[in-house]
Amino acid sequence: MKEKKHIDQLFKERFENFEATPSPQVWDNIQAKIKEEEKDRKIIPLWVKLGGVAALLALILTVGNSVFGPTTTPSITEEKTEINSQDSENNNVINKNNSKKTEVVSEDNNHLKDAINNSTNENEVKSDSHIEKIKKNATLSGTEIAYEDETKKASNKNENNSEINIKEPANKTSTINEAVVENDVQKNTSDLPSNTEKPGEGSLINKEKAIPVIDGKEAVVENEANDPKNKDAETIPSETENKETDVAITEETNKRSIFDAIEETNDDEAVVETKNNKPDNYWEITPNVGPVYYNSLSDGSSIDPSFSDNPKSGELNITYGVQVSYNLNNRISVRSGLSNVNLSYATTGIELGNGPVSVALKSVDYDKRDNVIIAVDKGALADQSMEGEFGTITPKSTSGEPSINQKISYYEVPLELKYALLNKKFGVNLIGGFSTLFLGENEIFVDAGDFNETLGEANNLSTLSFTTNIGLGLNYSFSKKLMFNIEPMFKYQLNPYTESSVDFKPYYIGIYTGLSFKF
Amino acid sequence: MTLDELILNCKKQDLKAQEKLYKKFSSTLFSVCLKYSRNYHEAEDNLQDAFITILKNIEQFKGKGSFEGWMKRITVNTVLQKYRKQRVFNLSNEEQIEEEAEVEVEDTKIPLDFLLKIVQELPDRYRLVFTMYVLDGCPHKEISEEMGISVGTSKSNLARARKILQTKIEEYHRENDSR
């Protein structure tokens, strides 16, 4: 006879000692998740900080842009759209434009002279300041031309001189243009409202370009100065007839002041160069990666002063990140971004022991452990094992040469200026700036052959520090939109430690390679 | 190492201690997961989530009461939370049935695997109520609070679960007796 039982009773009894073993995979997953979450926990507050920095940067860029060049940017864009419409043709057409330009100039020569006379006359009546300006410009151009002559005489051989010649006078003429144009504008406002903007653009661009003149970089001046001229040349075909007088004035003045120079110069080259002046793309985004080498300029130790004279060796690690740059013109760009930098170095000439945390390294946060691995200068244990502060340490025998290692990772937000020395298909750039470093991971561990143990985190690292950066950028353009970069950079840390007494002056050298996408 | 030391080291997020803790209790906690989950695979997932919650919140265990009980509670809560997210508790148009006093089955050698399987195959809420009430001895009031259902629903679910299980056990007997 089969016994019947309440179903609850049955299940209760059968499951009373029920146990089952999960597959080992479960622990692996748990372990992986714990590590991942530890990382996330560190990253989240960092992202909050970075968000703030990014917002600040964006603010600086926006405000800076509107303060330093409110009309420049829109005019450039306007110009760019105009150019873009013809862009594909432009390269081929440059020479054509150029010849057109001369044509226009010669055709309108008489008109121009009249126009200039008119405008100057009218101007005389209207305002004294303008006259002064014109006079000033006139004298300036005089000196320029004189200078030009001098350089010509002094000139030895090459294109450089011819380029300089063009530039200098061109620069002047553009200032003259500015004045003349101004007058012209006053005169013509009623019938040519659209023209008012044009000369403005020219002069503004000219001003902007004038900045590099301060550096005495004539090569730059050349391009800059030519810019308004170039623009006018390019706009000629797309402009209405009304424009012609205006353009002609500019051209005419250009022609007169650089007359001699033009004769001797390869005009095409000048035009090509001026075209390059405007960046093809204003933005660049560059994911990059590279090896970084970390070391110190001084002998000190960041871990403990007793290791000051120990041999130390920097180690190769990796950095990776993304850079965003904005091209102010085709020579200068400002850039920022975010990257992760991993740094480490090893200190040797030590020995290891077990002992109480009270005699352990002060710069290490042992996380409440009482008995820890202690690293001391080699020989220290033998000397003092009888008595003294190391008396409580049990030496640890190790199979290999023990070393104490510091591993740091930073999140780096750079702010750098890049200046192009050469910006053809192959480019050479100088890079300078600074970076803000946010401390990420940080670990001190000991390593001796088969023995490896993490001591803890260093407690003397600044969570926020800075570097000054200098470097050289080499690039190769595959196309207008894609460029390969390799940039050896030297970065010197300014305040890596919270205690100023730490005599360790770390720097790192990175060779950043990346692909730039321009847009 | 005593359990207290192990817990202390786990509070310091010592990975070795965490592994020891897992090895010590994984079987117990896994059996809980198996009883509450739909199948073996989900039970493993739940064990994983529960144990991570345990490790993350181990600071909150102040040494009052049984540590094993605390871990089991977290495990059950993890599973309940998961199914709560999946909205399995919101069965609509559910007619409540009365608890029947006599749901009896023959107690011949029914393999434990089979019993576990039919529990796991129960609809989610029936399974959870049945396991909590019968296997873990929770009163209906507690179950209703944990699951956010009424005591009546809890009782009704239990009765339905019993019926389903009874039917399956009878089917099992029929099949095996006829062989």
Side-chain angles (χ1 to χ4, degrees):
Chain A
M1 178 73 193
K2 285 167 187 168
E3 194 189 330
K4 286 223 168 189
K5 193 180 254 183
H6 193 278
I7 194 165
D8 288 11
Q9 195 60 34
L10 169 77
F11 275 91
K12 227 181 235 169
E13 282 172 11
R14 299 302 300 277
F15 276 94
E16 199 163 17
N17 295 314
F18 170 57
E19 279 203 355
T21 313
S23 70
Q25 183 63 33
V26 178
W27 172 246
D28 294 343
N29 291 346
I30 292 171
Q31 212 175 357
K33 273 213 172 163
I34 296 171
K35 284 181 181 165
E36 201 176 291
E37 285 185 17
E38 261 175 21
K39 267 187 194 170
D40 287 351
R41 233 179 302 161
K42 282 178 185 166
I43 289 168
I44 291 165
L46 187 87
W47 274 105
V48 176
K49 284 185 204 167
L50 285 181
V53 172
L56 191 68
L57 259 174
L59 191 73
I60 291 170
L61 284 177
T62 335
V63 173
N65 215 17
S66 56
V67 168
F68 295 117
T71 36
T72 315
T73 326
S75 67
I76 286 173
T77 344
E78 202 181 304
E79 194 184 358
K80 202 186 170 196
T81 42
E82 270 181 20
I83 293 164
N84 278 345
S85 58
Q86 313 174 340
D87 206 24
S88 52
E89 301 164 11
N90 245 347
N91 287 333
N92 306 328
V93 175
I94 287 168
N95 291 334
K96 226 169 149 188
N97 277 344
N98 201 30
S99 53
K100 260 192 199 166
K101 181 182 76 185
T102 10
E103 271 171 36
V104 173
V105 170
S106 54
E107 267 176 38
D108 289 320
N109 224 352
N110 298 328
H111 295 298
L112 292 172
K113 274 176 185 162
D114 292 342
I116 288 173
N117 288 339
N118 287 342
S119 63
T120 351
N121 289 340
E122 206 174 305
N123 202 33
E124 270 170 25
V125 183
K126 272 185 181 166
S127 86
D128 292 337
S129 61
H130 281 129
I131 300 170
E132 276 176 25
K133 208 170 178 181
I134 291 168
K135 278 182 184 166
K136 209 169 147 194
N137 286 329
T139 39
L140 270 175
S141 68
T143 47
E144 294 302 336
I145 291 163
Y147 170 72
E148 175 197 354
D149 289 338
E150 268 176 36
T151 35
K152 256 194 236 167
K153 280 173 199 163
S155 76
N156 301 327
K157 45 226 152 157
N158 50 29
E159 291 175 344
N160 267 347
N161 280 317
S162 58
E163 277 178 19
I164 290 166
N165 288 341
I166 296 175
K167 275 174 210 168
E168 287 299 339
N171 200 20
K172 294 320 170 186
T173 46
S174 57
T175 15
I176 293 174
N177 286 347
E178 196 178 316
V180 173
V181 158
E182 250 175 79
N183 299 332
D184 192 41
V185 169
Q186 280 187 354
K187 204 187 93 190
N188 292 334
T189 353
S190 50
D191 44 24
L192 295 174
S194 65
N195 281 348
T196 52
E197 285 173 18
K198 285 284 156 189
E201 274 173 39
S203 57
L204 272 168
I205 288 168
N206 199 25
K207 273 178 200 160
E208 188 198 34
K209 308 315 186 184
I211 299 165
V213 181
I214 299 164
D215 303 335
K217 303 267 181 194
E218 282 166 2
V220 179
V221 172
E222 167 188 7
N223 290 331
E224 323 300 14
N226 284 335
D227 191 56
K229 186 186 81 179
N230 179 45
K231 194 204 79 196
D232 285 335
E234 281 169 353
T235 46
I236 287 171
S238 63
E239 292 297 322
T240 56
E241 283 179 12
N242 282 345
K243 194 83 229 274
E244 272 184 27
T245 16
D246 197 21
V247 171
I249 291 170
T250 330
E251 294 306 325
E252 219 277 337
T253 20
N254 273 340
K255 204 192 169 198
R256 285 199 306 183
S257 50
I258 60 172
F259 189 75
D260 295 342
I262 282 176
E263 280 184 341
E264 297 172 10
T265 317
N266 184 348
D267 214 4
D268 290 354
E269 194 184 309
V271 174
V272 169
E273 275 192 39
T274 47
K275 190 195 154 270
N276 287 341
N277 194 23
K278 298 168 292 277
D280 288 327
N281 301 285
Y282 284 89
W283 291 96
E284 266 178 52
I285 185 156
T286 314
N288 58 31
V289 64
V292 273
Y293 175 77
Y294 183 63
N295 214 334
S296 168
L297 291 179
S298 65
D299 278 336
S301 169
S302 63
I303 299 172
D304 197 76
S306 66
F307 299 144
S308 295
D309 51 357
N310 288 37
K312 292 176 206 68
S313 58
E315 285 169 8
L316 267 186
N317 281 288
I318 199 158
T319 174
Y320 55 90
V322 174
Q323 238 167 32
V324 176
S325 50
Y326 178 74
N327 297 319
L328 298 171
N329 58 41
N330 72 335
R331 296 256 177 212
I332 301 172
S333 61
V334 60
R335 63 187 200 177
S336 182
L338 174 65
S339 53
N340 183 300
V341 195
N342 297 295
L343 305 168
S344 65
Y345 80 98
T347 306
T348 48
I350 60 160
E351 56 184 322
L352 302 176
N354 279 310
V357 82
S358 56
V359 296
L361 297 168
K362 295 289 171 285
S363 62
V364 178
D365 191 350
Y366 284 93
D367 199 10
K368 293 176 196 161
R369 275 176 285 166
D370 294 323
N371 218 316
V372 295
I373 295 288
I374 294 171
V376 293
D377 215 347
K378 204 168 199 165
L381 290 182
D383 280 355
Q384 313 213 10
S385 54
M386 314 298 169
E387 53 171 14
E389 62 169 325
F390 294 118
T392 43
I393 300 177
T394 326
K396 192 174 180 64
S397 64
T398 51
S399 62
E401 159 86 345
S403 66
I404 182 161
N405 305 274
Q406 179 154 34
K407 221 161 94 179
I408 309 169
S409 89
Y410 286 111
Y411 295 91
E412 180 183 351
V413 179
L415 187 60
E416 292 166 341
L417 267 186
K418 190 166 111 174
Y419 177 75
L421 297 170
L422 182 66
N423 57 0
K424 308 283 180 189
K425 196 164 180 60
F426 179 75
V428 179
N429 307 276
L430 283 180
I431 301 159
F434 66 90
S435 290
T436 309
L437 300 181
F438 301 92
L439 184 62
E441 280 169 47
N442 143 36
E443 187 186 53
I444 290 179
F445 63 97
V446 289
D447 187 14
D450 52 355
F451 175 73
N452 185 322
E453 182 161 311
T454 301
L455 301 186
E457 288 193 350
N459 52 21
N460 58 358
L461 287 168
S462 304
T463 50
L464 182 69
S465 60
F466 299 94
T467 62
T468 52
N469 312 340
I470 187 161
L472 186 71
L474 305 173
N475 56 54
Y476 179 81
S477 298
F478 294 108
S479 75
K480 280 191 174 180
K481 300 282 176 200
L482 188 65
M483 189 166 79
F484 173 74
N485 299 298
I486 181 156
E487 297 176 349
M489 297 286 299
F490 174 84
K491 300 185 180 183
Y492 178 67
Q493 274 186 274
L494 293 178
N495 59 335
Y497 301 103
T498 46
E499 290 155 19
S500 54
S501 59
V502 177
D503 184 25
F504 191 71
K505 299 186 168 64
Y507 65 86
Y508 55 95
I509 295 171
I511 300 181
Y512 297 74
T513 52
L515 278 181
S516 295
F517 304 93
K518 303 179 179 185
F519 56 95
Chain B
M1 198 185 289
T2 66
L3 182 60
D4 285 346
E5 282 170 349
L6 192 60
I7 296 169
L8 197 71
N9 285 338
C10 284
K11 285 183 180 177
K12 293 174 184 167
Q13 306 296 332
D14 177 348
L15 192 65
K16 285 202 176 113
Q18 291 173 338
E19 189 172 359
K20 258 188 197 160
L21 188 78
Y22 175 82
K23 287 200 170 138
K24 200 173 164 79
F25 291 104
S26 62
S27 297
T28 311
L29 297 180
F30 189 51
S31 69
V32 173
C33 290
L34 281 170
K35 290 185 290 184
Y36 279 85
S37 305
R38 289 172 189 152
N39 52 48
Y40 190 88
H41 178 72
E42 249 185 44
E44 283 195 336
D45 280 356
N46 288 332
L47 174 65
Q48 183 184 316
D49 293 347
F51 203 77
I52 288 170
T53 313
I54 288 167
L55 291 179
K56 271 204 277 191
N57 295 289
I58 198 163
E59 286 280 338
Q60 291 171 14
F61 179 72
K62 301 294 180 205
K64 289 174 189 163
S66 136
F67 182 65
E68 191 177 319
W70 180 79
M71 287 197 300
K72 275 185 176 172
R73 221 165 29 250
I74 287 187
T75 307
V76 172
N77 279 339
T78 306
V79 181
L80 288 183
Q81 228 167 31
K82 184 168 176 180
Y83 293 122
R84 208 175 290 152
K85 271 186 200 160
Q86 293 177 8
R87 298 179 185 280
V88 295
F89 301 156
N90 304 331
L91 299 179
S92 57
N93 302 324
E94 192 183 8
E95 201 189 319
Q96 294 198 355
I97 61 162
E98 285 301 308
E99 198 174 341
E100 289 176 46
E102 299 293 306
V103 186
E104 293 195 327
V105 287
E106 292 172 28
D107 180 25
T108 43
K109 299 283 173 215
I110 307 170
L112 185 57
D113 278 357
F114 176 76
L115 293 179
L116 180 62
K117 184 172 157 278
I118 59 175
V119 169
Q120 288 179 338
E121 281 169 359
L122 286 171
D124 287 322
R125 199 165 71 192
Y126 298 174
R127 180 182 67 250
L128 297 174
V129 171
F130 179 83
T131 307
M132 280 174 103
Y133 186 87
V134 177
L135 302 183
D136 286 348
C138 285
H140 282 300
K141 191 169 183 307
E142 201 176 305
I143 296 171
S144 70
E145 282 164 7
E146 289 279 354
M147 292 182 50
I149 55 176
S150 70
V151 172
T153 308
S154 177
K155 285 180 177 171
S156 165
N157 287 168
L158 178 65
R160 282 174 190 276
R162 279 182 186 136
K163 276 274 174 204
I164 296 171
L165 294 173
Q166 186 188 28
T167 314
K168 288 196 172 177
I169 289 171
E170 281 167 1
E171 272 173 25
Y172 177 84
H173 282 312
R174 264 201 305 279
E175 279 175 25
N176 283 274
D177 291 348
S178 63
R179 254 178 226 169

